[in-house]
Amino acid sequence: MFTDWSEALEAESLPLDPTSAQQNAAAARVTARSSHDKHDMTLLLDVLGLPTGPDTLTALLPLIPETGDTPVTITPATEAIDVPVVPLTFSNPVQELLDWATAHPAAAVRNRANRITADLAELTERRDTEAAQREAEEKVARAKAELERAQEELRTVKAGTRATAAATAAIRPGSGSGRSREELAAIRSWARENGHQVADQGMVPKRIQEAYDTAHQATSRKAG
């Protein structure tokens, strides 16, 4: 777990008091050397119950591999920390530290390890729950967008159908008889004058139309 023998010897010589300032400092240095960046270090320190104040972070920052003197910015306590929680393996220094603490003879150390393990499990569950919620919200948004497109297509089709019906009615003024409204009105008037019964609207029976045509043809021949 230790890459520096001097740190290992220093830790070994410390008393088994989990609240010792020296132990906290040694654990913080080990955590800093195992961190990927400042954000990762802050999260690990918080999970392990170690100080995360500005002075502590400033002192530990140079220990993070390949970070140098990167300026320290403190994440507000109320801000959500979006750090992926991955299953810990034996090669992970944090897992090694937890294994060491779990097997520690001091009950306080073992209890802290158990609390940290429970916190990590809770964070993992929360991450998975929030990820599932985001996925469900995205599905609902896609479904709503698809529904709106379908409704727009339906409105377009209905508008096109009404326009087609209106155009069809406009090109058939004689209600299928091939005659104009004025000519049909004249046929109805002639039919009533000659004892035929016809409706004020709708189709004029074919026999009445033929009788009207015959009568007018005969009248035209007499006039000629």
Side-chain angles (χ1 to χ4, degrees), residues 68-94:
D69 297 328
T70 304
V72 178
T73 56
I74 308 301
T75 302
T78 57
E79 181 180 347
I81 302 176
D82 188 12
V83 177
V85 179
V86 298
L88 300 177
T89 63
F90 182 77
S91 60
N92 190 302
V94 175

mmCIF file with all atom_site columns, all heavy atoms in Angstrom, residues 68-94:
data_model
loop_
_atom_site.group_PDB
_atom_site.id
_atom_site.type_symbol
_atom_site.label_atom_id
_atom_site.label_alt_id
_atom_site.label_comp_id
_atom_site.label_asym_id
_atom_site.label_entity_id
_atom_site.label_seq_id
_atom_site.pdbx_PDB_ins_code
_atom_site.Cartn_x
_atom_site.Cartn_y
_atom_site.Cartn_z
_atom_site.occupancy
_atom_site.B_iso_or_equiv
_atom_site.pdbx_formal_charge
_atom_site.auth_seq_id
_atom_site.auth_comp_id
_atom_site.auth_asym_id
_atom_site.auth_atom_id
_atom_site.pdbx_PDB_model_num
ATOM 1   N N   . GLY A 1 68 ? 1.610   18.900 -9.795  1.00 0.00 ? 68 GLY A N   1
ATOM 2   C CA  . GLY A 1 68 ? 2.407   20.087 -9.534  1.00 0.00 ? 68 GLY A CA  1
ATOM 3   C C   . GLY A 1 68 ? 1.690   21.022 -8.599  1.00 0.00 ? 68 GLY A C   1
ATOM 4   O O   . GLY A 1 68 ? 1.069   20.611 -7.628  1.00 0.00 ? 68 GLY A O   1
ATOM 5   N N   . ASP A 1 69 ? 1.753   22.308 -8.910  1.00 0.00 ? 69 ASP A N   1
ATOM 6   C CA  . ASP A 1 69 ? 1.158   23.327 -8.043  1.00 0.00 ? 69 ASP A CA  1
ATOM 7   C C   . ASP A 1 69 ? -0.138  23.863 -8.627  1.00 0.00 ? 69 ASP A C   1
ATOM 8   O O   . ASP A 1 69 ? -0.341  25.062 -8.750  1.00 0.00 ? 69 ASP A O   1
ATOM 9   C CB  . ASP A 1 69 ? 2.145   24.493 -7.827  1.00 0.00 ? 69 ASP A CB  1
ATOM 10  C CG  . ASP A 1 69 ? 3.387   24.007 -7.111  1.00 0.00 ? 69 ASP A CG  1
ATOM 11  O OD1 . ASP A 1 69 ? 3.265   23.083 -6.303  1.00 0.00 ? 69 ASP A OD1 1
ATOM 12  O OD2 . ASP A 1 69 ? 4.459   24.564 -7.376  1.00 0.00 ? 69 ASP A OD2 1
ATOM 13  N N   . THR A 1 70 ? -1.009  22.963 -9.072  1.00 0.00 ? 70 THR A N   1
ATOM 14  C CA  . THR A 1 70 ? -2.288  23.387 -9.636  1.00 0.00 ? 70 THR A CA  1
ATOM 15  C C   . THR A 1 70 ? -3.080  24.142 -8.582  1.00 0.00 ? 70 THR A C   1
ATOM 16  O O   . THR A 1 70 ? -3.188  23.680 -7.445  1.00 0.00 ? 70 THR A O   1
ATOM 17  C CB  . THR A 1 70 ? -3.102  22.173 -10.108 1.00 0.00 ? 70 THR A CB  1
ATOM 18  O OG1 . THR A 1 70 ? -2.304  21.433 -11.029 1.00 0.00 ? 70 THR A OG1 1
ATOM 19  C CG2 . THR A 1 70 ? -4.402  22.615 -10.770 1.00 0.00 ? 70 THR A CG2 1
ATOM 20  N N   . PRO A 1 71 ? -3.661  25.294 -8.924  1.00 0.00 ? 71 PRO A N   1
ATOM 21  C CA  . PRO A 1 71 ? -4.437  26.050 -7.929  1.00 0.00 ? 71 PRO A CA  1
ATOM 22  C C   . PRO A 1 71 ? -5.559  25.208 -7.360  1.00 0.00 ? 71 PRO A C   1
ATOM 23  O O   . PRO A 1 71 ? -6.175  24.411 -8.057  1.00 0.00 ? 71 PRO A O   1
ATOM 24  C CB  . PRO A 1 71 ? -4.982  27.244 -8.736  1.00 0.00 ? 71 PRO A CB  1
ATOM 25  C CG  . PRO A 1 71 ? -4.051  27.362 -9.888  1.00 0.00 ? 71 PRO A CG  1
ATOM 26  C CD  . PRO A 1 71 ? -3.582  25.972 -10.209 1.00 0.00 ? 71 PRO A CD  1
ATOM 27  N N   . VAL A 1 72 ? -5.821  25.407 -6.086  1.00 0.00 ? 72 VAL A N   1
ATOM 28  C CA  . VAL A 1 72 ? -6.859  24.641 -5.400  1.00 0.00 ? 72 VAL A CA  1
ATOM 29  C C   . VAL A 1 72 ? -8.160  25.428 -5.412  1.00 0.00 ? 72 VAL A C   1
ATOM 30  O O   . VAL A 1 72 ? -8.191  26.601 -5.076  1.00 0.00 ? 72 VAL A O   1
ATOM 31  C CB  . VAL A 1 72 ? -6.436  24.359 -3.936  1.00 0.00 ? 72 VAL A CB  1
ATOM 32  C CG1 . VAL A 1 72 ? -7.545  23.613 -3.206  1.00 0.00 ? 72 VAL A CG1 1
ATOM 33  C CG2 . VAL A 1 72 ? -5.141  23.559 -3.913  1.00 0.00 ? 72 VAL A CG2 1
ATOM 34  N N   . THR A 1 73 ? -9.245  24.784 -5.825  1.00 0.00 ? 73 THR A N   1
ATOM 35  C CA  . THR A 1 73 ? -10.584 25.379 -5.743  1.00 0.00 ? 73 THR A CA  1
ATOM 36  C C   . THR A 1 73 ? -11.426 24.444 -4.907  1.00 0.00 ? 73 THR A C   1
ATOM 37  O O   . THR A 1 73 ? -11.474 23.237 -5.157  1.00 0.00 ? 73 THR A O   1
ATOM 38  C CB  . THR A 1 73 ? -11.209 25.541 -7.137  1.00 0.00 ? 73 THR A CB  1
ATOM 39  O OG1 . THR A 1 73 ? -11.221 24.270 -7.781  1.00 0.00 ? 73 THR A OG1 1
ATOM 40  C CG2 . THR A 1 73 ? -10.416 26.527 -7.967  1.00 0.00 ? 73 THR A CG2 1
ATOM 41  N N   . ILE A 1 74 ? -12.107 24.993 -3.930  1.00 0.00 ? 74 ILE A N   1
ATOM 42  C CA  . ILE A 1 74 ? -12.881 24.182 -2.997  1.00 0.00 ? 74 ILE A CA  1
ATOM 43  C C   . ILE A 1 74 ? -14.305 24.032 -3.503  1.00 0.00 ? 74 ILE A C   1
ATOM 44  O O   . ILE A 1 74 ? -14.955 25.011 -3.874  1.00 0.00 ? 74 ILE A O   1
ATOM 45  C CB  . ILE A 1 74 ? -12.884 24.817 -1.592  1.00 0.00 ? 74 ILE A CB  1
ATOM 46  C CG1 . ILE A 1 74 ? -11.444 25.101 -1.160  1.00 0.00 ? 74 ILE A CG1 1
ATOM 47  C CG2 . ILE A 1 74 ? -13.585 23.910 -0.598  1.00 0.00 ? 74 ILE A CG2 1
ATOM 48  C CD1 . ILE A 1 74 ? -10.561 23.869 -1.129  1.00 0.00 ? 74 ILE A CD1 1
ATOM 49  N N   . THR A 1 75 ? -14.778 22.794 -3.554  1.00 0.00 ? 75 THR A N   1
ATOM 50  C CA  . THR A 1 75 ? -16.140 22.523 -3.975  1.00 0.00 ? 75 THR A CA  1
ATOM 51  C C   . THR A 1 75 ? -17.090 22.799 -2.825  1.00 0.00 ? 75 THR A C   1
ATOM 52  O O   . THR A 1 75 ? -16.886 22.281 -1.729  1.00 0.00 ? 75 THR A O   1
ATOM 53  C CB  . THR A 1 75 ? -16.290 21.053 -4.403  1.00 0.00 ? 75 THR A CB  1
ATOM 54  O OG1 . THR A 1 75 ? -15.361 20.795 -5.449  1.00 0.00 ? 75 THR A OG1 1
ATOM 55  C CG2 . THR A 1 75 ? -17.713 20.774 -4.895  1.00 0.00 ? 75 THR A CG2 1
ATOM 56  N N   . PRO A 1 76 ? -18.121 23.642 -3.020  1.00 0.00 ? 76 PRO A N   1
ATOM 57  C CA  . PRO A 1 76 ? -19.076 23.905 -1.934  1.00 0.00 ? 76 PRO A CA  1
ATOM 58  C C   . PRO A 1 76 ? -19.703 22.613 -1.440  1.00 0.00 ? 76 PRO A C   1
ATOM 59  O O   . PRO A 1 76 ? -19.909 21.676 -2.200  1.00 0.00 ? 76 PRO A O   1
ATOM 60  C CB  . PRO A 1 76 ? -20.116 24.820 -2.597  1.00 0.00 ? 76 PRO A CB  1
ATOM 61  C CG  . PRO A 1 76 ? -19.408 25.422 -3.764  1.00 0.00 ? 76 PRO A CG  1
ATOM 62  C CD  . PRO A 1 76 ? -18.429 24.396 -4.229  1.00 0.00 ? 76 PRO A CD  1
ATOM 63  N N   . ALA A 1 77 ? -20.031 22.602 -0.157  1.00 0.00 ? 77 ALA A N   1
ATOM 64  C CA  . ALA A 1 77 ? -20.566 21.376 0.447   1.00 0.00 ? 77 ALA A CA  1
ATOM 65  C C   . ALA A 1 77 ? -21.914 21.002 -0.150  1.00 0.00 ? 77 ALA A C   1
ATOM 66  O O   . ALA A 1 77 ? -22.290 19.843 -0.148  1.00 0.00 ? 77 ALA A O   1
ATOM 67  C CB  . ALA A 1 77 ? -20.706 21.565 1.963   1.00 0.00 ? 77 ALA A CB  1
ATOM 68  N N   . THR A 1 78 ? -22.664 21.999 -0.652  1.00 0.00 ? 78 THR A N   1
ATOM 69  C CA  . THR A 1 78 ? -24.002 21.720 -1.182  1.00 0.00 ? 78 THR A CA  1
ATOM 70  C C   . THR A 1 78 ? -23.969 21.317 -2.639  1.00 0.00 ? 78 THR A C   1
ATOM 71  O O   . THR A 1 78 ? -24.996 20.948 -3.185  1.00 0.00 ? 78 THR A O   1
ATOM 72  C CB  . THR A 1 78 ? -24.899 22.968 -1.030  1.00 0.00 ? 78 THR A CB  1
ATOM 73  O OG1 . THR A 1 78 ? -24.275 24.062 -1.711  1.00 0.00 ? 78 THR A OG1 1
ATOM 74  C CG2 . THR A 1 78 ? -25.078 23.324 0.429   1.00 0.00 ? 78 THR A CG2 1
ATOM 75  N N   . GLU A 1 79 ? -22.820 21.393 -3.282  1.00 0.00 ? 79 GLU A N   1
ATOM 76  C CA  . GLU A 1 79 ? -22.764 21.073 -4.705  1.00 0.00 ? 79 GLU A CA  1
ATOM 77  C C   . GLU A 1 79 ? -22.651 19.575 -4.905  1.00 0.00 ? 79 GLU A C   1
ATOM 78  O O   . GLU A 1 79 ? -21.885 18.890 -4.220  1.00 0.00 ? 79 GLU A O   1
ATOM 79  C CB  . GLU A 1 79 ? -21.545 21.753 -5.336  1.00 0.00 ? 79 GLU A CB  1
ATOM 80  C CG  . GLU A 1 79 ? -21.410 21.493 -6.839  1.00 0.00 ? 79 GLU A CG  1
ATOM 81  C CD  . GLU A 1 79 ? -20.200 22.181 -7.422  1.00 0.00 ? 79 GLU A CD  1
ATOM 82  O OE1 . GLU A 1 79 ? -19.630 23.042 -6.732  1.00 0.00 ? 79 GLU A OE1 1
ATOM 83  O OE2 . GLU A 1 79 ? -19.833 21.844 -8.554  1.00 0.00 ? 79 GLU A OE2 1
ATOM 84  N N   . ALA A 1 80 ? -23.430 19.031 -5.853  1.00 0.00 ? 80 ALA A N   1
ATOM 85  C CA  . ALA A 1 80 ? -23.382 17.608 -6.120  1.00 0.00 ? 80 ALA A CA  1
ATOM 86  C C   . ALA A 1 80 ? -22.062 17.255 -6.787  1.00 0.00 ? 80 ALA A C   1
ATOM 87  O O   . ALA A 1 80 ? -21.610 17.943 -7.698  1.00 0.00 ? 80 ALA A O   1
ATOM 88  C CB  . ALA A 1 80 ? -24.544 17.193 -7.030  1.00 0.00 ? 80 ALA A CB  1
ATOM 89  N N   . ILE A 1 81 ? -21.420 16.178 -6.326  1.00 0.00 ? 81 ILE A N   1
ATOM 90  C CA  . ILE A 1 81 ? -20.144 15.733 -6.873  1.00 0.00 ? 81 ILE A CA  1
ATOM 91  C C   . ILE A 1 81 ? -20.420 14.554 -7.781  1.00 0.00 ? 81 ILE A C   1
ATOM 92  O O   . ILE A 1 81 ? -20.815 13.479 -7.346  1.00 0.00 ? 81 ILE A O   1
ATOM 93  C CB  . ILE A 1 81 ? -19.169 15.334 -5.756  1.00 0.00 ? 81 ILE A CB  1
ATOM 94  C CG1 . ILE A 1 81 ? -18.959 16.527 -4.812  1.00 0.00 ? 81 ILE A CG1 1
ATOM 95  C CG2 . ILE A 1 81 ? -17.840 14.865 -6.322  1.00 0.00 ? 81 ILE A CG2 1
ATOM 96  C CD1 . ILE A 1 81 ? -18.086 16.209 -3.627  1.00 0.00 ? 81 ILE A CD1 1
ATOM 97  N N   . ASP A 1 82 ? -20.249 14.777 -9.076  1.00 0.00 ? 82 ASP A N   1
ATOM 98  C CA  . ASP A 1 82 ? -20.547 13.749 -10.073 1.00 0.00 ? 82 ASP A CA  1
ATOM 99  C C   . ASP A 1 82 ? -19.275 12.968 -10.378 1.00 0.00 ? 82 ASP A C   1
ATOM 100 O O   . ASP A 1 82 ? -18.585 13.222 -11.349 1.00 0.00 ? 82 ASP A O   1
ATOM 101 C CB  . ASP A 1 82 ? -21.110 14.398 -11.347 1.00 0.00 ? 82 ASP A CB  1
ATOM 102 C CG  . ASP A 1 82 ? -21.599 13.344 -12.327 1.00 0.00 ? 82 ASP A CG  1
ATOM 103 O OD1 . ASP A 1 82 ? -21.709 12.175 -11.918 1.00 0.00 ? 82 ASP A OD1 1
ATOM 104 O OD2 . ASP A 1 82 ? -21.850 13.693 -13.488 1.00 0.00 ? 82 ASP A OD2 1
ATOM 105 N N   . VAL A 1 83 ? -18.946 12.032 -9.508  1.00 0.00 ? 83 VAL A N   1
ATOM 106 C CA  . VAL A 1 83 ? -17.756 11.201 -9.680  1.00 0.00 ? 83 VAL A CA  1
ATOM 107 C C   . VAL A 1 83 ? -18.207 9.757  -9.846  1.00 0.00 ? 83 VAL A C   1
ATOM 108 O O   . VAL A 1 83 ? -18.917 9.232  -8.993  1.00 0.00 ? 83 VAL A O   1
ATOM 109 C CB  . VAL A 1 83 ? -16.809 11.318 -8.469  1.00 0.00 ? 83 VAL A CB  1
ATOM 110 C CG1 . VAL A 1 83 ? -15.611 10.391 -8.626  1.00 0.00 ? 83 VAL A CG1 1
ATOM 111 C CG2 . VAL A 1 83 ? -16.348 12.753 -8.312  1.00 0.00 ? 83 VAL A CG2 1
ATOM 112 N N   . PRO A 1 84 ? -17.840 9.094  -10.948 1.00 0.00 ? 84 PRO A N   1
ATOM 113 C CA  . PRO A 1 84 ? -18.255 7.711  -11.132 1.00 0.00 ? 84 PRO A CA  1
ATOM 114 C C   . PRO A 1 84 ? -17.748 6.825  -9.995  1.00 0.00 ? 84 PRO A C   1
ATOM 115 O O   . PRO A 1 84 ? -16.598 6.914  -9.585  1.00 0.00 ? 84 PRO A O   1
ATOM 116 C CB  . PRO A 1 84 ? -17.610 7.322  -12.473 1.00 0.00 ? 84 PRO A CB  1
ATOM 117 C CG  . PRO A 1 84 ? -17.323 8.613  -13.152 1.00 0.00 ? 84 PRO A CG  1
ATOM 118 C CD  . PRO A 1 84 ? -17.044 9.608  -12.064 1.00 0.00 ? 84 PRO A CD  1
ATOM 119 N N   . VAL A 1 85 ? -18.628 6.000  -9.454  1.00 0.00 ? 85 VAL A N   1
ATOM 120 C CA  . VAL A 1 85 ? -18.245 5.044  -8.422  1.00 0.00 ? 85 VAL A CA  1
ATOM 121 C C   . VAL A 1 85 ? -18.099 3.689  -9.081  1.00 0.00 ? 85 VAL A C   1
ATOM 122 O O   . VAL A 1 85 ? -19.066 3.136  -9.607  1.00 0.00 ? 85 VAL A O   1
ATOM 123 C CB  . VAL A 1 85 ? -19.306 4.982  -7.298  1.00 0.00 ? 85 VAL A CB  1
ATOM 124 C CG1 . VAL A 1 85 ? -18.898 3.953  -6.247  1.00 0.00 ? 85 VAL A CG1 1
ATOM 125 C CG2 . VAL A 1 85 ? -19.484 6.355  -6.674  1.00 0.00 ? 85 VAL A CG2 1
ATOM 126 N N   . VAL A 1 86 ? -16.897 3.177  -9.116  1.00 0.00 ? 86 VAL A N   1
ATOM 127 C CA  . VAL A 1 86 ? -16.621 1.905  -9.771  1.00 0.00 ? 86 VAL A CA  1
ATOM 128 C C   . VAL A 1 86 ? -16.359 0.857  -8.711  1.00 0.00 ? 86 VAL A C   1
ATOM 129 O O   . VAL A 1 86 ? -15.921 1.165  -7.601  1.00 0.00 ? 86 VAL A O   1
ATOM 130 C CB  . VAL A 1 86 ? -15.403 2.025  -10.718 1.00 0.00 ? 86 VAL A CB  1
ATOM 131 C CG1 . VAL A 1 86 ? -15.686 3.017  -11.814 1.00 0.00 ? 86 VAL A CG1 1
ATOM 132 C CG2 . VAL A 1 86 ? -14.159 2.446  -9.946  1.00 0.00 ? 86 VAL A CG2 1
ATOM 133 N N   . PRO A 1 87 ? -16.642 -0.412 -9.024  1.00 0.00 ? 87 PRO A N   1
ATOM 134 C CA  . PRO A 1 87 ? -16.346 -1.465 -8.048  1.00 0.00 ? 87 PRO A CA  1
ATOM 135 C C   . PRO A 1 87 ? -14.870 -1.457 -7.685  1.00 0.00 ? 87 PRO A C   1
ATOM 136 O O   . PRO A 1 87 ? -13.998 -1.398 -8.549  1.00 0.00 ? 87 PRO A O   1
ATOM 137 C CB  . PRO A 1 87 ? -16.746 -2.748 -8.797  1.00 0.00 ? 87 PRO A CB  1
ATOM 138 C CG  . PRO A 1 87 ? -17.715 -2.296 -9.831  1.00 0.00 ? 87 PRO A CG  1
ATOM 139 C CD  . PRO A 1 87 ? -17.273 -0.927 -10.234 1.00 0.00 ? 87 PRO A CD  1
ATOM 140 N N   . LEU A 1 88 ? -14.573 -1.503 -6.396  1.00 0.00 ? 88 LEU A N   1
ATOM 141 C CA  . LEU A 1 88 ? -13.201 -1.460 -5.943  1.00 0.00 ? 88 LEU A CA  1
ATOM 142 C C   . LEU A 1 88 ? -12.558 -2.835 -6.063  1.00 0.00 ? 88 LEU A C   1
ATOM 143 O O   . LEU A 1 88 ? -13.150 -3.845 -5.690  1.00 0.00 ? 88 LEU A O   1
ATOM 144 C CB  . LEU A 1 88 ? -13.146 -0.986 -4.485  1.00 0.00 ? 88 LEU A CB  1
ATOM 145 C CG  . LEU A 1 88 ? -13.731 0.412  -4.226  1.00 0.00 ? 88 LEU A CG  1
ATOM 146 C CD1 . LEU A 1 88 ? -13.676 0.726  -2.740  1.00 0.00 ? 88 LEU A CD1 1
ATOM 147 C CD2 . LEU A 1 88 ? -12.966 1.457  -5.009  1.00 0.00 ? 88 LEU A CD2 1
ATOM 148 N N   . THR A 1 89 ? -11.353 -2.882 -6.598  1.00 0.00 ? 89 THR A N   1
ATOM 149 C CA  . THR A 1 89 ? -10.601 -4.120 -6.721  1.00 0.00 ? 89 THR A CA  1
ATOM 150 C C   . THR A 1 89 ? -9.485  -4.133 -5.686  1.00 0.00 ? 89 THR A C   1
ATOM 151 O O   . THR A 1 89 ? -9.186  -3.138 -5.052  1.00 0.00 ? 89 THR A O   1
ATOM 152 C CB  . THR A 1 89 ? -10.015 -4.253 -8.130  1.00 0.00 ? 89 THR A CB  1
ATOM 153 O OG1 . THR A 1 89 ? -9.098  -3.179 -8.354  1.00 0.00 ? 89 THR A OG1 1
ATOM 154 C CG2 . THR A 1 89 ? -11.115 -4.184 -9.185  1.00 0.00 ? 89 THR A CG2 1
ATOM 155 N N   . PHE A 1 90 ? -8.829  -5.262 -5.572  1.00 0.00 ? 90 PHE A N   1
ATOM 156 C CA  . PHE A 1 90 ? -7.779  -5.400 -4.575  1.00 0.00 ? 90 PHE A CA  1
ATOM 157 C C   . PHE A 1 90 ? -6.603  -4.469 -4.864  1.00 0.00 ? 90 PHE A C   1
ATOM 158 O O   . PHE A 1 90 ? -5.906  -4.040 -3.948  1.00 0.00 ? 90 PHE A O   1
ATOM 159 C CB  . PHE A 1 90 ? -7.295  -6.857 -4.526  1.00 0.00 ? 90 PHE A CB  1
ATOM 160 C CG  . PHE A 1 90 ? -6.228  -7.101 -3.491  1.00 0.00 ? 90 PHE A CG  1
ATOM 161 C CD1 . PHE A 1 90 ? -6.556  -7.195 -2.155  1.00 0.00 ? 90 PHE A CD1 1
ATOM 162 C CD2 . PHE A 1 90 ? -4.898  -7.210 -3.862  1.00 0.00 ? 90 PHE A CD2 1
ATOM 163 C CE1 . PHE A 1 90 ? -5.583  -7.408 -1.198  1.00 0.00 ? 90 PHE A CE1 1
ATOM 164 C CE2 . PHE A 1 90 ? -3.919  -7.421 -2.915  1.00 0.00 ? 90 PHE A CE2 1
ATOM 165 C CZ  . PHE A 1 90 ? -4.260  -7.527 -1.580  1.00 0.00 ? 90 PHE A CZ  1
ATOM 166 N N   . SER A 1 91 ? -6.403  -4.149 -6.140  1.00 0.00 ? 91 SER A N   1
ATOM 167 C CA  . SER A 1 91 ? -5.274  -3.297 -6.496  1.00 0.00 ? 91 SER A CA  1
ATOM 168 C C   . SER A 1 91 ? -5.555  -1.828 -6.208  1.00 0.00 ? 91 SER A C   1
ATOM 169 O O   . SER A 1 91 ? -4.650  -1.010 -6.273  1.00 0.00 ? 91 SER A O   1
ATOM 170 C CB  . SER A 1 91 ? -4.931  -3.473 -7.984  1.00 0.00 ? 91 SER A CB  1
ATOM 171 O OG  . SER A 1 91 ? -6.048  -3.117 -8.778  1.00 0.00 ? 91 SER A OG  1
ATOM 172 N N   . ASN A 1 92 ? -6.813  -1.491 -5.891  1.00 0.00 ? 92 ASN A N   1
ATOM 173 C CA  . ASN A 1 92 ? -7.152  -0.110 -5.601  1.00 0.00 ? 92 ASN A CA  1
ATOM 174 C C   . ASN A 1 92 ? -6.637  0.256  -4.212  1.00 0.00 ? 92 ASN A C   1
ATOM 175 O O   . ASN A 1 92 ? -6.962  -0.416 -3.231  1.00 0.00 ? 92 ASN A O   1
ATOM 176 C CB  . ASN A 1 92 ? -8.671  0.071  -5.666  1.00 0.00 ? 92 ASN A CB  1
ATOM 177 C CG  . ASN A 1 92 ? -9.076  1.528  -5.608  1.00 0.00 ? 92 ASN A CG  1
ATOM 178 O OD1 . ASN A 1 92 ? -8.751  2.228  -4.663  1.00 0.00 ? 92 ASN A OD1 1
ATOM 179 N ND2 . ASN A 1 92 ? -9.811  1.954  -6.622  1.00 0.00 ? 92 ASN A ND2 1
ATOM 180 N N   . PRO A 1 93 ? -5.850  1.314  -4.080  1.00 0.00 ? 93 PRO A N   1
ATOM 181 C CA  . PRO A 1 93 ? -5.311  1.680  -2.764  1.00 0.00 ? 93 PRO A CA  1
ATOM 182 C C   . PRO A 1 93 ? -6.387  1.928  -1.720  1.00 0.00 ? 93 PRO A C   1
ATOM 183 O O   . PRO A 1 93 ? -6.192  1.612  -0.542  1.00 0.00 ? 93 PRO A O   1
ATOM 184 C CB  . PRO A 1 93 ? -4.512  2.952  -3.059  1.00 0.00 ? 93 PRO A CB  1
ATOM 185 C CG  . PRO A 1 93 ? -4.181  2.873  -4.511  1.00 0.00 ? 93 PRO A CG  1
ATOM 186 C CD  . PRO A 1 93 ? -5.338  2.177  -5.148  1.00 0.00 ? 93 PRO A CD  1
ATOM 187 N N   . VAL A 1 94 ? -7.520  2.500  -2.130  1.00 0.00 ? 94 VAL A N   1
ATOM 188 C CA  . VAL A 1 94 ? -8.595  2.748  -1.176  1.00 0.00 ? 94 VAL A CA  1
ATOM 189 C C   . VAL A 1 94 ? -9.157  1.428  -0.644  1.00 0.00 ? 94 VAL A C   1
ATOM 190 O O   . VAL A 1 94 ? -9.410  1.274  0.558   1.00 0.00 ? 94 VAL A O   1
ATOM 191 C CB  . VAL A 1 94 ? -9.711  3.591  -1.824  1.00 0.00 ? 94 VAL A CB  1
ATOM 192 C CG1 . VAL A 1 94 ? -10.885 3.745  -0.876  1.00 0.00 ? 94 VAL A CG1 1
ATOM 193 C CG2 . VAL A 1 94 ? -9.175  4.951  -2.237  1.00 0.00 ? 94 VAL A CG2 1
#
